[in-house]
Amino acid sequence: MTKKFALMASAAVVALSAFAGVAKAQSLDALAAEAKKEGSLTVIALPHDWCGYGDVIDGFKKKYGLTVNELNPDAGSGDEVEAIKANKGNKGPQAPDVIDVGLSFGPTAKADGLIQPYKVATWSTIPADQKDADGFWYGDYYGVLSFEVNADLVKNPPKDWADLQKPEYKDSVALAGDPRTANQAVQAVYAAGLSAAGKDDGAAAAGLKFFGDLNKAGNFVPTIGKSASLAKGETPIVVRWDYNALADRDTLKGNPKVEVVVPKSGVVAGVYVQAISAFAPHPNAAKLWMEYLYSDEGQLGWLKGYCHPVRFNDLVNAKKVPADLLSALPPAENYAKATFPTLDQQNAGKKAITEGWDKAVGANVK
């Protein structure tokens, strides 16, 4: 640990003294020692191929010698929040210490008293509009919705949302989650609606109509799309974050050939946030995990998984991003039309989509 980082870590911990449940440690080294006594960290909903989490988790374990208990990798944001609620007072392995959820889930979890504040050492480098001022939640990374296509089966990949309604894509289009619980799927419905409506107002309603029509046309497959279902041909087109699709492309190594398409319109960027459970059985391990994720090492770990980390501009300005990592990212013009919905727009869209899906679409995604 550098002297500079030690001072930053110490300052962050001192600042935390105003909050309940703060770390007892007085420096990052002391925090690590307290976490070591707890021995383990419980995470939830972190697939190893999501944002490079496999290597990130391994890096954390190697650096600090803690065991990481991984719960339900395929859970959605709503499931993560429910896991906190269901395990209040549970000190066993089923109680998550930390969550990684869609932006709109952070404020609601705070309002419900389910998360606790913590400001990492690099707090000042996280953009102000991507964090809670009191440190209850903070942005971690973002990507845009894309079409992940099995190019061996789909010879003419769709270029935009409207293309998905064409008869040639019958029994082909899937979401990467249940729109009633998973942020990724909610954002996909919103993006389709944004493309149809051309503006944020009314995007959720337009998205529900879009998927209702897609279901009636027989193009929608009510199966949660993954790399395995894509490879098997069960879901030849999966709507999912670009970083997940690019990771699948690497993992499948051409068998089948995977094409990742950023649509021409309705390009929605999704920000995910980190938070510590208010009932974390391992609170110091949780805070140490946050310090690792928001260190240069942790941020570059997400970038290796094709996610744009929240400190990306800070790292670029400081010339800390290796050239090979920058060159591995998709062309910048793919993101030029990206829309970042405001928190209010996300909350309104989430409510409309999660509550309206059954009536408007009527497909039980699982």
Side-chain angles (χ1 to χ4, degrees):
M1 181 175 62
T2 66
K3 181 178 180 182
K4 179 181 178 182
F5 194 76
L7 290 172
M8 293 173 67
S10 179
V13 173
V14 169
L16 287 172
S17 61
F19 298 111
V22 299
K24 296 177 181 177
Q26 297 302 308
S27 70
L28 185 58
D29 286 342
L31 178 60
E34 292 296 321
K36 188 77 172 179
K37 292 177 184 176
E38 295 171 349
S40 65
L41 170 77
T42 298
V43 301
I44 183 171
L46 301 184
H48 283 199
D49 57 356
W50 180 297
C51 285
Y53 259 121
D55 288 341
V56 170
I57 292 171
D58 287 344
F60 176 75
K61 290 192 292 188
K62 182 178 180 181
K63 187 162 189 169
Y64 293 110
L66 298 181
T67 298
V68 177
N69 176 36
E70 301 178 45
L71 302 175
N72 194 2
D74 295 327
S77 297
D79 301 318
E80 297 180 62
V81 173
E82 289 302 316
I84 293 179
K85 291 180 182 177
N87 289 283
K88 291 180 181 178
N90 182 353
K91 301 300 181 183
Q94 293 306 310
D97 290 305
V98 294
I99 55 175
D100 178 341
V101 294
L103 174 61
S104 60
F105 287 83
T108 53
K110 175 186 177 182
D112 293 339
L114 299 176
I115 51 180
Q116 61 177 289
Y118 184 71
K119 292 183 178 179
V120 293
T122 53
W123 180 257
S124 64
T125 64
I126 300 173
D129 60 354
Q130 295 186 35
K131 61 186 177 186
D132 173 68
D134 294 327
F136 279 85
W137 53 264
Y138 18 103
D140 41 23
Y141 50 77
Y142 72 89
V144 300
L145 269 312
S146 68
F147 307 148
E148 181 182 354
V149 181
N150 180 330
D152 284 351
L153 297 176
V154 181
K155 301 302 182 183
N156 180 35
K159 302 303 181 193
D160 207 353
W161 291 98
D163 294 338
L164 299 179
Q165 302 283 2
K166 295 179 178 177
E168 65 186 280
Y169 302 125
K170 189 175 180 62
D171 293 325
S172 297
V173 185
L175 293 170
D178 183 344
R180 295 165 295 191
T181 58
N183 176 67
Q184 184 175 198
V186 169
Q187 295 303 311
V189 176
Y190 186 91
L194 180 64
S195 175
K199 57 183 180 180
D200 290 302
D201 290 344
L208 287 171
K209 182 180 185 306
F210 179 92
F211 275 92
D213 292 343
L214 200 69
N215 193 40
K216 291 176 184 174
N219 290 13
F220 184 63
V221 182
T223 298
I224 295 177
K226 305 175 183 177
S227 62
S229 62
L230 181 100
K232 291 177 182 176
E234 296 171 353
T235 59
I237 302 172
V238 180
V239 181
R240 66 185 326 189
W241 297 121
D242 60 336
Y243 45 82
N244 290 331
L246 291 163
D248 285 350
R249 183 194 62 185
D250 291 352
T251 300
L252 293 171
K253 299 178 179 178
N255 185 27
K257 181 181 178 183
V258 173
E259 185 166 336
V260 180
V261 180
V262 176
K264 293 179 179 178
S265 63
V267 182
V268 168
V271 177
Y272 278 75
V273 300
Q274 291 285 333
I276 299 175
S277 167
F279 315 101
H282 313 101
N284 292 301
K287 290 162 186 169
L288 187 64
W289 171 245
M290 294 302 169
E291 293 292 356
Y292 182 73
L293 293 180
Y294 289 84
S295 69
D296 294 351
E297 182 179 354
Q299 296 279 291
L300 292 178
W302 277 333
L303 190 59
K304 289 177 183 175
Y306 298 116
C307 290
H308 281 70
V310 73
R311 293 183 52 231
F312 180 75
N313 290 338
D314 175 55
L315 293 171
V316 169
N317 292 336
K319 301 186 185 307
K320 292 182 176 179
V321 182
D324 61 331
L325 279 187
L326 286 176
S327 64
L329 297 173
E333 56 264 31
N334 287 5
Y335 301 85
K337 297 180 181 178
T339 296
F340 288 79
T342 66
L343 191 54
D344 287 344
Q345 288 169 337
Q346 285 210 31
N347 284 334
K350 172 189 166 189
K351 178 176 175 56
I353 292 166
T354 56
E355 295 180 359
W357 176 267
D358 284 337
K359 182 177 181 180
V361 183
N364 186 24
V365 181
K366 57 184 179 180

